[in-house]
Amino acid sequence: MSQGITVLKRKRKEVIRIAFSFQGVQCRETLDLPGTRENLRYAERLRGEILRKIEHGTFRYNDYFPSSAKCRVFGHGSAKGKDSTIKQLLEGYRERSKASLQPSTWRGYRMAIDNILIPQFGHLQVQALSTGTLREWIALQKVTRKRMSNLLLPLRNALSEALADEVIDFNPLDRLKLSRILPRDTLHTDYEPQPYSVEELVPLLVSMTGAERAAFQFWAYTGVRTSELIALTWADIDLQAGTVRVHRAVVEGEEKGTKTRAGVRTIPLLLAARQALEDQRQRTEKAGGRVFMNPRNDKEWTDQSLLRLWQRTCKKAMASYRNPYQMRHTFASQLLSQGENPAYIAKLLGHKTTEMVIRNYGRWVEQGATLGFDRPQVKYGREHLPGLPEVGDASDSGANRV
């Protein structure tokens, strides 16, 4: 590692520290970047540039470290010092955090900063943002505690940086407890899954054609997440064994691992899911890449393109529209109502425990439990759907056990 460059391991992440001397003062500043080879090279170039400007007498502290308290020490002024505004504080944090956050997380931060936090608090000076001001605003919001926590997270992080840089004496958000501020009826979400019944779902799937139908039929009979459906490749499919391995996701166009460690799983293919795959083979298997591609532009599906397709499908069929994520809910609720073990369904869905299953699908769990040992033969996904060629049953391999 080059002189003046140090990787520091903090509680939840790594940062890179740059050290140099300016006007006889030893300066140490951190970059909110992990210590990768590429980031270390960037830090070396940045330090070299700073040293050259110091040598030529053109270095200004706030051009490189605007949030640092040393900006005031050297009289350079700070775009994020004690005289700065919340708008400047948040804009600086927004741009710096882009390199260290997942694209989907950064997008959520950006939307909260640009659409809510800056319009509401941007005009205030950093030191003028009080606990009382925040409390009064939060109390008027009709959102759940989880939603409010997500909205405030980029502000909390930016204020934590300001606290570390001695711009403020304390973080006003640390003195608030949302459960004591938000209206009682907003503390918990009232969201409930709205799965399709078989009588609703099958006609909608049959009304679709080609690659579009194959994607949605597979989705409805495997219960994968949207990001997992998009990321699926033919290397993940074992038609002989009748299984699909889920171990990656595509979010905001970038591939990464599954949402959780428990998300890495192998799902046995119901007959209807096998039928969709067999039909899709003729379109994409030879290329060896993604299983499901948008036939309208030969590109990967996105959340929005799948949503628009399902909207068109429901409108054309004059059916009640629910968002396409209900494919996952339909898979879970149908199997649970047929008496399947909640622990096994949690495993198929990629949950570590049954907590999410019980919370989201409680009434279907109860429906299945009432069947006891006399439950009828399960049917969901065990029959061919009209309009596609029939395929061989893989039940003898145990793949159809759900």
Side-chain angles (χ1 to χ4, degrees), residues 159-174:
L159 288 171
S160 294
E161 289 185 352
L163 177 61
D165 293 334
E166 300 179 355
V167 174
I168 54 178
D169 296 326
F170 66 92
N171 188 333
L173 280 170
D174 290 342

Side-chain angles (χ1 to χ4, degrees), residues 251-272:
V251 180
E252 297 290 327
E254 293 196 14
E255 184 176 306
K256 61 178 186 177
T258 54
K259 186 175 182 180
T260 63
R261 185 176 299 179
V264 178
R265 61 203 187 276
T266 298
I267 302 174
L269 293 170
L270 291 169
L271 190 62

Side-chain angles (χ1 to χ4, degrees), residues 25 34 46 50 98 133 140 167 182 202 237 262 303 306 354 359 363 373 378 397 399:
V25 177
L46 181 64
I50 290 171
K98 188 174 184 179
T133 300
L140 297 175
V167 174
L182 286 167
V202 172
I237 306 295
D303 287 28
L306 287 166
T354 61
R359 182 191 307 166
R363 64 186 174 99
F373 292 104
V378 294
S397 68

Side-chain angles (χ1 to χ4, degrees), residues 124-136:
L124 295 174
Q125 287 190 329
V126 175
Q127 292 189 315
L129 182 63
S130 66
T131 301
T133 300
L134 289 163
R135 184 189 299 114
E136 290 177 4

Side-chain angles (χ1 to χ4, degrees), residues 24-299:
V25 177
Q26 291 300 315
C27 303
R28 294 179 177 86
E29 301 292 345
T30 58
L31 304 177
D32 192 14
L33 297 171
T36 64
R37 184 178 301 177
E38 181 179 355
N39 288 339
L40 288 172
R41 287 198 297 264
Y42 166 76
E44 291 171 7
R45 292 194 298 270
L46 181 64
R47 183 173 182 272
E49 181 179 322
I50 290 171
L51 293 178
R52 286 192 297 274
K53 287 200 172 185
I54 291 175
E55 183 179 356
H56 291 102
T58 59
F59 175 70
R60 290 189 61 81
Y61 219 93
N62 62 314
D63 289 341
Y64 290 86
F65 308 106
S67 62
S68 175
K70 284 191 169 63
C71 289
R72 297 177 64 84
V73 171
F74 298 114
H76 288 172
S78 172
K80 291 179 63 180
K82 297 186 178 182
D83 298 327
S84 64
T85 64
I86 293 294
K87 180 176 186 291
Q88 292 169 322
L89 186 78
L90 287 169
E91 287 178 339
Y93 173 75
R94 180 191 63 201
E95 298 312 309
R96 286 194 312 281
S97 64
K98 188 174 184 179
S100 59
L101 296 175
Q102 290 286 350
S104 57
T105 303
W106 184 81
R107 181 172 176 268
Y109 280 20
R110 178 181 59 78
M111 293 177 67
I113 289 171
D114 293 349
N115 299 337
I116 296 174
L117 296 174
I118 287 180
Q120 181 65 36
F121 304 112
H123 64 288
L124 295 174
Q125 287 190 329
V126 175
Q127 292 189 315
L129 182 63
S130 66
T131 301
T133 300
L134 289 163
R135 184 189 299 114
E136 290 177 4
W137 177 74
I138 293 170
L140 297 175
Q141 306 312 301
K142 302 296 183 181
V143 297
T144 64
R145 180 165 50 187
K146 180 178 179 181
R147 171 63 174 160
M148 179 56 66
S149 295
N150 290 338
L151 289 177
L152 292 175
L153 191 53
L155 177 60
R156 182 182 297 278
N157 293 344
L159 288 171
S160 294
E161 289 185 352
L163 177 61
D165 293 334
E166 300 179 355
V167 174
I168 54 178
D169 296 326
F170 66 92
N171 188 333
L173 280 170
D174 290 342
R175 301 185 176 185
L176 295 176
K177 192 169 184 179
L178 294 181
S179 60
R180 297 179 180 177
I181 302 172
L182 286 167
R184 187 180 305 169
D185 59 354
T186 67
L187 289 178
H188 302 286
T189 177
D190 58 358
Y191 171 79
E192 289 187 4
Q194 295 180 302
Y196 287 89
S197 67
V198 173
E199 293 73 21
E200 292 174 311
L201 177 65
V202 172
L204 285 169
L205 294 177
V206 171
S207 73
M208 305 171 79
T209 59
E212 296 178 344
R213 171 176 174 174
F216 271 82
Q217 183 167 323
F218 178 87
W219 196 356
Y221 291 97
T222 56
V224 294
R225 298 180 176 93
T226 312
S227 57
E228 296 167 345
L229 176 78
I230 296 170
L232 200 65
T233 70
W234 281 107
D236 304 322
I237 306 295
D238 188 338
L239 286 172
Q240 184 174 358
T243 61
V244 55
R245 183 169 185 266
V246 179
H247 61 104
R248 61 169 68 91
V250 171
V251 180
E252 297 290 327
E254 293 196 14
E255 184 176 306
K256 61 178 186 177
T258 54
K259 186 175 182 180
T260 63
R261 185 176 299 179
V264 178
R265 61 203 187 276
T266 298
I267 302 174
L269 293 170
L270 291 169
L271 190 62
R274 287 175 56 86
Q275 187 183 22
L277 287 174
E278 291 284 2
D279 181 64
Q280 183 65 6
R281 290 178 68 178
Q282 60 183 307
R283 303 183 186 95
T284 59
E285 185 183 32
K286 188 175 181 180
R290 302 290 188 210
V291 175
F292 301 108
M293 301 288 288
N294 187 343
R296 294 173 181 261
N297 54 19
D298 292 325
K299 295 181 179 179

